[in-house]
Amino acid sequence: MTPDTLTPSPVQNIAVLGIGMMGWPIARRLCEAGYQVSAWNRSPAKAERLRPFGAQVCDTPALAVAQADLVITLLEDGKVVEDVLFRQGTTDGLRPGTLMVDMSSIQPRQARDHAARLAAIGVQHLDAPVSGGTVGAEQATLAIMAGGKPADFERARPVFEHLGRPTHVGPHGSGQLAKLANQMIVGITIGAVAEALLLCEKGGADMAKVRQAITGGFADSRILQVHGQRMVERDFAKRGAISVQLKDMRNAMTTAREIGFEAPITALFEQLFAQAADHGLADLDHSALFVELASRNGMA
């Protein structure tokens, strides 16, 4: 029997590679859901926090995936995903029939490349990035955008449903395309909200009252509610960093160029987030684009 004809086993054992801001609440929820979870992180102390929840903490990614039916990666970018999968021995530990679910935010072409290389050793792949941030991970309300084969999505669905709302959006790479679309909308809307609120403040209106006044109208949005409130309160503690938003905008522009698509609005906001990072805001929340725009207007 070839790896392609193996009957997939029900998911019981899950490995989580990357126990950072998103990996920690996701791995914890999977422990609480009754899965056997193995965890690995480059900085072992972050993974150690999972021991009280019943997770096995492993010294290498290869050890973490050795018994896994499904592996979740939550890593910094495409280069790190490739390094962990193909250069740190992870593929040596994978069994044929394992389902690799990459929930990192990377470029679509990287996701397609990883899927092809894993398929060659009998390992299935989904690119399934998420939106909703750490709050969504804590509350199991993440939007999960999955690209890959429908059968693999159905196999992963019960796991996904412990984390949020999963949607299969197309073949390999499509999940990452959907995440880029999400991040384009998020980044552009953060800029629109920041600029509009600053205009009102500069003109003498009460910024908090303006936000309240337009709530429920056509300009209302999750960004206005959540990020707008952070702007009103000048609360820019990191939930989703400027540096991460910039990475996603750059990935969107790279993908646009690869497929011959013109994205002038995203290009503008890539520049604005880059300038914010250059001005020392990289490790603040992405709503801190407000600070960059305020500085330009002498309002910092």
Side-chain angles (χ1 to χ4, degrees), residues 129-151:
V130 301
S131 179
T134 54
V135 173
E138 292 281 355
Q139 298 177 354
T141 58
L142 292 170
I144 304 169
M145 302 152 267
K149 295 180 179 178

Side-chain angles (χ1 to χ4, degrees), residues 7-51:
T7 301
S9 58
V11 173
Q12 296 178 324
N13 296 292
I14 299 175
V16 181
L17 308 182
I19 312 299
M21 290 182 67
M22 295 297 289
W24 154 247
I26 284 173
R28 192 188 72 230
R29 289 202 70 89
L30 294 174
C31 288
E32 292 170 344
Y35 291 103
Q36 297 298 312
V37 175
S38 300
W40 171 84
N41 194 74
R42 181 176 56 186
S43 303
K46 292 183 178 180
E48 288 291 339
R49 297 176 295 168
L50 290 166
R51 281 195 193 274

Side-chain angles (χ1 to χ4, degrees), residues 210-222 224-225:
V210 169
R211 175 182 166 276
Q212 180 181 337
I214 61 180
T215 292
F218 277 1
D220 201 359
S221 67
R222 180 78 171 152
L224 178 67
Q225 294 306 312

Side-chain angles (χ1 to χ4, degrees), residues 67-150:
Q67 301 301 317
D69 306 307
L70 183 147
V71 178
I72 293 174
T73 48
L74 286 147
L75 301 166
E76 183 178 356
D77 56 33
K79 290 182 179 179
V80 175
V81 173
E82 180 165 355
D83 180 65
V84 170
L85 290 185
F86 302 109
R87 296 192 181 93
Q88 294 196 34
T90 302
T91 51
D92 295 333
L94 290 169
R95 300 175 297 167
T98 302
L99 176 56
M100 174 68 65
V101 178
D102 186 11
M103 302 185 92
S104 318
S105 294
I106 70 175
Q107 294 179 27
R109 64 172 174 79
Q110 293 173 317
R112 292 191 293 269
D113 175 66
H114 297 167
R117 291 162 72 178
L118 290 167
I121 59 170
V123 173
Q124 283 71 53
H125 177 275
L126 292 172
D127 50 291
V130 301
S131 179
T134 54
V135 173
E138 292 281 355
Q139 298 177 354
T141 58
L142 292 170
I144 304 169
M145 302 152 267
K149 295 180 179 178

Side-chain angles (χ1 to χ4, degrees), residues 4-297:
D4 286 341
T5 60
L6 290 172
T7 301
S9 58
V11 173
Q12 296 178 324
N13 296 292
I14 299 175
V16 181
L17 308 182
I19 312 299
M21 290 182 67
M22 295 297 289
W24 154 247
I26 284 173
R28 192 188 72 230
R29 289 202 70 89
L30 294 174
C31 288
E32 292 170 344
Y35 291 103
Q36 297 298 312
V37 175
S38 300
W40 171 84
N41 194 74
R42 181 176 56 186
S43 303
K46 292 183 178 180
E48 288 291 339
R49 297 176 295 168
L50 290 166
R51 281 195 193 274
F53 296 93
Q56 178 183 2
V57 178
C58 300
D59 293 332
T60 68
L63 287 174
V65 305
Q67 301 301 317
D69 306 307
L70 183 147
V71 178
I72 293 174
T73 48
L74 286 147
L75 301 166
E76 183 178 356
D77 56 33
K79 290 182 179 179
V80 175
V81 173
E82 180 165 355
D83 180 65
V84 170
L85 290 185
F86 302 109
R87 296 192 181 93
Q88 294 196 34
T90 302
T91 51
D92 295 333
L94 290 169
R95 300 175 297 167
T98 302
L99 176 56
M100 174 68 65
V101 178
D102 186 11
M103 302 185 92
S104 318
S105 294
I106 70 175
Q107 294 179 27
R109 64 172 174 79
Q110 293 173 317
R112 292 191 293 269
D113 175 66
H114 297 167
R117 291 162 72 178
L118 290 167
I121 59 170
V123 173
Q124 283 71 53
H125 177 275
L126 292 172
D127 50 291
V130 301
S131 179
T134 54
V135 173
E138 292 281 355
Q139 298 177 354
T141 58
L142 292 170
I144 304 169
M145 302 152 267
K149 295 180 179 178
D152 294 330
F153 174 75
E154 291 303 324
R155 185 180 177 200
R157 184 195 288 274
V159 177
F160 289 155
E161 288 178 344
H162 288 290
L163 307 175
R165 179 178 56 82
T167 305
H168 182 246
V169 296
H172 295 297
S174 297
Q176 297 298 343
L177 279 170
K179 179 59 186 285
L180 291 180
N182 182 86
Q183 293 306 93
M184 290 163 70
I185 294 168
V186 167
I188 292 165
T189 308
I190 284 174
V193 169
E195 191 166 273
L197 293 180
L198 283 165
L199 172 71
C200 292
E201 184 172 87
K202 186 80 168 182
D206 184 321
M207 191 168 69
K209 293 294 186 181
V210 169
R211 175 182 166 276
Q212 180 181 337
I214 61 180
T215 292
F218 277 1
D220 201 359
S221 67
R222 180 78 171 152
I223 297 295
L224 178 67
Q225 294 306 312
V226 176
H227 296 77
Q229 186 63 28
R230 293 175 191 173
M231 295 170 193
V232 168
E233 296 175 353
R234 298 328 198 247
D235 174 13
F236 302 116
K238 182 171 68 175
R239 290 88 161 180
I242 287 272
S243 59
V244 174
Q245 183 69 53
L246 176 58
K247 177 203 73 171
D248 291 335
M249 300 302 259
R250 286 176 168 166
N251 281 346
M253 290 306 302
T254 296
T255 300
R257 287 190 291 270
E258 289 172 354
I259 64 177
F261 180 79
E262 185 177 355
I265 301 172
T266 303
L268 171 61
F269 278 89
E270 178 197 2
Q271 294 174 19
L272 290 172
F273 278 104
Q275 289 160 3
D278 289 343
H279 295 156
L281 307 177
D283 289 330
L284 296 182
D285 189 76
H286 49 178
S287 59
L289 186 62
F290 177 94
V291 178
E292 172 67 19
L293 295 173
S295 179
R296 287 167 175 248
N297 286 281

